[in-house]
Amino acid sequence: QVQLVESGGGLVQAGGSLRLSCVVSGRTFRTYAMGWFRQAPGKERNFVCGISDSGGSTYYTVSVKGRFTISRDNAKNTLYLQMNGLKPEDTAVYYCAAGRYYASGRPSDWNYWGHGTQVTVSS
């Protein structure tokens, strides 16, 4: 069983930064592509970015490209999301996910999910 636990969310002013972490249990972390999704109140869950199992490939949605950076440490079973230049429209619950294809934007393509961490950006 794979379990994912996010942390690092919080309240930040526009233009600020946050770093999210996602710790994954089990020995199979390095075999999974990993991704970040987000869901604002009343809206569907949207893909933010993904990273391949080795960390050698990444993919970002247009709205965060150049501001967010996804990375992973396979020795620590941990996924990261560095978020800079935050905007009020980035406010959402952020979820990490494990799956097989790092660039898939469809939630149904991802096998395991964390419970989410709230990110709130004030204007």
Side-chain angles (χ1 to χ4, degrees):
Q1 186 72 8
V2 178
Q3 293 184 326
L4 293 73
V5 179
E6 303 96 336
S7 63
L11 173 64
V12 64
Q13 289 187 332
S17 299
L18 282 175
R19 188 194 197 200
L20 306 184
S21 298
C22 173
V23 177
V24 181
S25 66
R27 302 177 186 177
T28 58
F29 175 72
R30 65 184 64 231
T31 69
Y32 283 99
M34 297 296 298
W36 288 98
F37 285 74
R38 64 187 180 186
Q39 187 168 17
K43 296 189 177 181
E44 62 185 17
R45 190 170 297 189
N46 291 322
F47 178 75
V48 176
C49 55
I51 188 168
S52 62
D53 54 2
S54 67
S57 298
T58 57
Y59 184 82
Y60 297 89
T61 191
V62 170
S63 61
V64 307
K65 195 170 187 178
R67 300 188 297 124
F68 290 11
T69 302
I70 188 172
S71 62
R72 65 190 295 163
D73 185 337
N74 284 350
K76 295 182 178 179
N77 278 21
T78 304
L79 174 74
Y80 303 99
L81 181 64
Q82 178 66 44
M83 303 186 293
N84 298 328
L86 282 161
K87 304 175 182 180
E89 52 263 43
D90 294 318
T91 295
V93 176
Y94 282 71
Y95 298 89
C96 64
R100 294 303 179 190
Y101 184 48
Y102 70 96
S104 175
R106 293 184 300 188
S108 59
D109 285 342
W110 297 80
N111 303 104
Y112 301 99
W113 293 86
H115 292 295
T117 186
Q118 176 71 47
V119 171
T120 303
V121 184
S122 63
S123 57

